[in-house]
Every structure is written in C-alpha cells, then in structure tokens.
Amino acid sequence: MPPAPLPLAHLADTIDACDRRFAELVRLDATVQRLHGGCEWAEGPVWFAETATLLWSDIPNNRILQWHEADGVKVFRAPSDFANGHTRDRSGRLVSCEHGTRSVTRTEPDGRRTVLADRFGGHRLNSPNDVVVSADGSIWFTDPSYGIDNPREGLPGQREYGGCHVFRLPAGGGQLQVVADDFVQPNGLAFSADERTLYVVDTGGTHVPGGPRHIRVLRLDDQGQVQHSRVFAQIDGGFPDGLALDAFGHVWASAGNGVQCFAADGSLLGRLKLPEPAANLCFGGADRRRLFITASRSLYAVDLLVRGLN
C-alpha cells in the first residue's frame, strides 16, 4: 500500500508582482500548494513525464524521495550518498550530484549506479552540487565545497584541486573541462534555449563576508568556451540557489524568501513568497506548466501560465 498522501496545504497571498508582466506568467490569485513535509533540507527536483513522478533529495536524511499525485511520497533511494542536484540525460536516465562520493553519477535502467566524474587532474572533486545536460549529451555541473564543509550535507574533507569550478564532461566521457574557475561557490545552473548562455549562481557570500549572492551569465561560443561573463541579477532575499527557465526565457530562481522571477534583461518581475527558504525548482506536470519547489522541510508546487523550457 502506498503511504497516504499528505493533505494539501494552500498558501494564499503568495504572489508578489513587481512588474505588470508577471501577470502574464502566473495568475495573481494563484495559490502555492504544499505537497509534502518532513524533510530537513529538500533539494534537486527532477521531473519524469513518462511516470508523472518527481524525484528530489533530502540531503541531511541521506535519501532521495519520489512524489506521485495519486500515490503520494515514498523513498526512492536510501542511502543516497548525500545526493543533491539531479537531471536527466538524453536517454532519460537519472544523473545525480553526490556529496558523499564527491562524484557525478548516472542511474542505469536496472538501478545500477555508474560514476561519470569524480576527479579532476588526479584530485577528488569537492562536492558536485547541481547539474544540467546539453543537447550534445555533455554534462555540465558545479563543484562548490558545501558537502565537505558541512557534516549535515556530506562527509568532511579538503579541497584537493584548490578551487570551486564549473565543469563540463564531454558526451561519452573523457577528461573534465573547466568552464569557469573564478566562482567563489558555484551553485545552481541552467541553459538558455539556444545553449549559448549558461546561467550560474554564485553563493560565495556563505563563505566570504560580503561575497557574491548573485546569478551570472556566461556567454558561450560554438565550442562551449566562455567568451565573457557578467552579473545577471542580484538576489534581494537570502541567497539564490537553483534555477529554471521557462519557454520565454524568464529565469526563475530559488531564494531565501521563496522564488524570484527575472526577465531576460535581469529585471525582477515578481516573487512567489514561501514560509521557508527555497533551495531548488523545476518545471513538470502534464503540460510542464507546474513549477515544483523544494524548500527546506517541504515540497511545494504552483501552476503557472507559461511552460518550462525543458
């Protein structure tokens, strides 16, 4: 028997429009639903359309959870090696960032885990955090130090290669390539529709007084090399974390006061206010108009007027 679903909690007065364009993306009388509670630090949601299920991480509890509208929530994997961010590859397989193993892994159809990347220049990675897959099958991920700094999120350790980089793993494997090495603590990341722009969060303010708490844009050339980068948007409540883009190129970012939505020029359009800090988010649902949000102890969802990019 599946567990009884948690009664839905509806949060009214959560829509905060800063620009009239926000009303084109979400109904201003929309409510955010709390789908599940009981996590310690919910992170890394990823949608599986073929089974209408969502997977996400509960990092301190060392588990991956699975939600289904009718069946409720069950444990997908425990222990999870302190998994954080997830995505899917071009074959639909789960790709995960694991703090405990300091690696990026893939879950095969039979449930086996394959290690895709765990070293750079002969040294162990820090604690891969978030991950995306591009159209050519290459895997892009961030590698801050949170999982080796905080025993609630992984296993204590040292930065072996000396930095916190954004990496690219070529399709089919091979040597890790450094995308960017000038972040303090790279975190969430997402591609634009044409994959010529990579949005990357820097939450370096958690480790450096007055450090970054912003989203940067990296402009890429045809070979995936960074041509230039700049700050795209500053976050006005806590720290940014995960990112998701909609079909029109708006950037949805989790933050300390919920979710913030930015236009393509970096102007703030509006917020989805939550009673706890948001960590990550993804689009899903039958028409990909549902935004799922992992936030501290809970999983939330809100129906939007715009589809997710992927």
Side-chain angles (χ1 to χ4, degrees), residues 103-187:
S103 67
V104 178
T105 67
R106 181 179 66 219
T107 299
E108 309 298 344
D110 62 4
R112 291 180 300 111
R113 288 167 53 261
T114 299
V115 175
L116 302 177
D118 63 354
R119 289 182 177 271
F120 171 64
H123 302 289
R124 286 186 298 173
L125 298 174
N126 297 321
S127 53
N129 184 284
D130 209 352
V131 57
V132 293
V133 175
S134 61
D136 68 358
S138 58
I139 296 171
W140 306 59
F141 66 94
T142 56
D143 189 36
S145 62
Y146 294 111
I148 56 176
D149 294 339
N150 185 347
R152 292 183 67 249
E153 296 188 22
L155 303 173
Q158 301 296 319
R159 301 186 191 187
E160 294 191 5
Y161 67 84
C164 292
H165 295 351
V166 181
F167 288 108
R168 175 182 181 270
L169 179 67
Q175 296 294 318
L176 281 183
Q177 301 168 356
V178 176
V179 176
D181 60 5
D182 58 345
F183 282 76
V184 182
Q185 292 286 353
N187 208 309

Side-chain angles (χ1 to χ4, degrees), residues 132 140-142 166-167 179-180 183 188-192 194-201 215-220 224 226 228-230 243:
V132 293
W140 306 59
F141 66 94
T142 56
V166 181
F167 288 108
V179 176
F183 282 76
L189 74 172
F191 275 114
S192 62
D194 63 3
E195 297 189 348
R196 296 297 295 270
T197 299
L198 181 65
Y199 297 86
V200 185
V201 167
I215 304 167
R216 277 171 55 185
V217 290
L218 310 182
R219 187 63 179 170
L220 308 175
V226 177
H228 59 82
S229 70
R230 62 178 176 83
L243 301 174

Side-chain angles (χ1 to χ4, degrees), residues 183 188-190 198-203 212-218 229-235 239-245 251-255 260-262 266:
F183 282 76
L189 74 172
L198 181 65
Y199 297 86
V200 185
V201 167
D202 194 339
T203 48
R213 54 177 70 206
H214 57 229
I215 304 167
R216 277 171 55 185
V217 290
L218 310 182
S229 70
R230 62 178 176 83
V231 173
F232 169 74
Q234 299 281 354
I235 295 295
F239 290 91
D241 201 330
L243 301 174
L245 270 66
V251 178
W252 299 76
S254 59
Q260 300 186 16
C261 178
F262 298 90

